Short mmCIF file of all heavy atoms in Angstrom, two decimals:
data_model
loop_
_atom_site.label_atom_id
_atom_site.label_comp_id
_atom_site.label_asym_id
_atom_site.label_seq_id
_atom_site.Cartn_x
_atom_site.Cartn_y
_atom_site.Cartn_z
N THR A 231 355.36 41.26 43.03
CA THR A 231 355.85 42.60 42.76
C THR A 231 356.77 42.60 41.54
O THR A 231 357.56 41.67 41.35
CB THR A 231 356.63 43.12 43.99
OG1 THR A 231 355.77 43.03 45.13
CG2 THR A 231 357.06 44.55 43.80
N CYS A 232 356.66 43.65 40.73
CA CYS A 232 357.56 43.80 39.59
C CYS A 232 358.88 44.37 40.09
O CYS A 232 358.92 45.42 40.71
CB CYS A 232 356.95 44.73 38.54
SG CYS A 232 358.11 45.17 37.22
N SER A 233 359.96 43.64 39.82
CA SER A 233 361.26 44.09 40.33
C SER A 233 361.78 45.29 39.53
O SER A 233 362.76 45.92 39.92
CB SER A 233 362.27 42.94 40.27
OG SER A 233 362.43 42.49 38.94
N GLU A 234 361.14 45.59 38.41
CA GLU A 234 361.58 46.71 37.59
C GLU A 234 360.90 48.01 38.02
O GLU A 234 361.56 49.01 38.28
CB GLU A 234 361.25 46.41 36.13
CG GLU A 234 361.69 47.48 35.15
CD GLU A 234 363.21 47.53 34.98
OE1 GLU A 234 363.82 46.46 34.88
OE2 GLU A 234 363.77 48.64 34.96
N CYS A 235 359.56 47.98 38.12
CA CYS A 235 358.86 49.24 38.38
C CYS A 235 358.16 49.26 39.74
O CYS A 235 357.63 50.28 40.16
CB CYS A 235 357.84 49.53 37.28
SG CYS A 235 356.40 48.46 37.34
N GLY A 236 358.11 48.13 40.42
CA GLY A 236 357.52 48.12 41.76
C GLY A 236 356.02 47.91 41.78
O GLY A 236 355.42 47.85 42.85
N ALA A 237 355.40 47.77 40.63
CA ALA A 237 353.96 47.53 40.60
C ALA A 237 353.67 46.15 41.18
O ALA A 237 354.46 45.22 41.04
CB ALA A 237 353.45 47.59 39.15
N TYR A 249 357.13 36.11 35.02
CA TYR A 249 356.44 37.30 35.48
C TYR A 249 356.36 38.28 34.32
O TYR A 249 357.37 38.64 33.72
CB TYR A 249 357.20 37.94 36.64
CG TYR A 249 356.47 39.08 37.29
CD1 TYR A 249 355.77 38.90 38.48
CD2 TYR A 249 356.48 40.36 36.73
CE1 TYR A 249 355.08 39.94 39.07
CE2 TYR A 249 355.79 41.40 37.31
CZ TYR A 249 355.10 41.19 38.49
OH TYR A 249 354.42 42.23 39.07
N VAL A 250 355.13 38.69 34.00
CA VAL A 250 354.94 39.71 32.96
C VAL A 250 354.26 40.89 33.64
O VAL A 250 353.18 40.74 34.21
CB VAL A 250 354.07 39.17 31.81
CG1 VAL A 250 353.90 40.25 30.74
CG2 VAL A 250 354.68 37.92 31.21
N CYS A 251 354.92 42.04 33.59
CA CYS A 251 354.37 43.20 34.29
C CYS A 251 353.34 43.91 33.41
O CYS A 251 353.60 44.22 32.25
CB CYS A 251 355.48 44.16 34.67
SG CYS A 251 354.87 45.61 35.56
N ASP A 252 352.16 44.17 33.99
CA ASP A 252 351.10 44.88 33.26
C ASP A 252 351.46 46.34 33.07
O ASP A 252 350.96 47.01 32.18
CB ASP A 252 349.79 44.83 34.06
CG ASP A 252 349.40 43.40 34.39
OD1 ASP A 252 349.77 42.50 33.61
OD2 ASP A 252 348.76 43.19 35.44
N VAL A 253 352.30 46.86 33.94
CA VAL A 253 352.58 48.29 33.94
C VAL A 253 353.76 48.65 33.02
O VAL A 253 353.63 49.48 32.13
CB VAL A 253 352.85 48.80 35.38
CG1 VAL A 253 353.18 50.28 35.37
CG2 VAL A 253 351.65 48.50 36.27
N CYS A 254 354.90 47.97 33.24
CA CYS A 254 356.08 48.35 32.46
C CYS A 254 356.46 47.30 31.42
O CYS A 254 357.49 47.42 30.76
CB CYS A 254 357.26 48.63 33.38
SG CYS A 254 357.95 47.15 34.13
N ALA A 255 355.66 46.23 31.35
CA ALA A 255 355.86 45.19 30.35
C ALA A 255 357.16 44.39 30.53
O ALA A 255 357.62 43.72 29.61
CB ALA A 255 355.79 45.76 28.94
N MET A 256 357.71 44.44 31.72
CA MET A 256 358.90 43.63 31.98
C MET A 256 358.54 42.14 31.95
O MET A 256 357.48 41.74 32.40
CB MET A 256 359.48 43.97 33.35
CG MET A 256 360.72 43.17 33.69
SD MET A 256 361.02 43.00 35.46
CE MET A 256 359.76 41.80 35.92
ZN1 ZN B 401 356.80 46.61 36.04
#
Side-chain angles (χ1 to χ4, degrees):
T231 304
C232 171
S233 60
E234 182 71 43
C235 72
Y249 187 100
V250 181
C251 181
D252 305 331
V253 179
C254 71
M256 180 204 74

